[in-house]
Amino acid sequence: MMLYISESVLHFIQTESANHPPERSGAILGPVGQPIITRFHFDLDEEAQTSSASYLPSPQLTSAGAAARNDRKTKV
């Protein structure tokens, strides 16, 4: 299956990722059941744990992703 990323998400990641330290991550979101990424949220909380080989999201980002899934409009 091919996964599509909207140009606005690509532009956001390209421009915003330079404003944050390396190994920062986030959540990709899109419409349920469709192979497209329409939003990206950086995990800017200090509780996120990162290393050169791993990423553990912050509780805030995890909660936001769960809320998006429960909303049934988007999925992580």
Side-chain angles (χ1 to χ4, degrees), residues 1-2 5-7 9-10 12 15-17 19 21-22 25 33 37-38 40 47 49 53 57 59 61 63-64 66 76:
M1 173 173 56
M2 176 118 15
I5 302 174
S6 70
E7 287 192 27
V9 171
L10 283 175
F12 177 77
T15 57
E16 291 298 314
S17 63
N19 294 327
S25 192
I37 297 168
T38 56
F40 181 84
E47 292 185 47
Q49 299 175 16
L61 186 65
S63 294
V76 176

Side-chain angles (χ1 to χ4, degrees), residues 18-35:
N19 294 327
H20 304 290
E23 309 308 332
R24 185 67 67 166
S25 192
I28 56 174
L29 302 167
V32 172
Q34 296 183 23

Side-chain angles (χ1 to χ4, degrees), residues 26-46:
I28 56 174
L29 302 167
V32 172
Q34 296 183 23
I36 184 167
I37 297 168
T38 56
R39 292 188 291 164
F40 181 84
H41 296 279
F42 277 108
D43 192 352
L44 302 177
D45 194 285
E46 294 299 320

Side-chain angles (χ1 to χ4, degrees), residues 22-25 48-56:
E23 309 308 332
R24 185 67 67 166
S25 192
Q49 299 175 16
T50 62
S51 75
S52 61
S54 67
Y55 164 69
L56 181 63

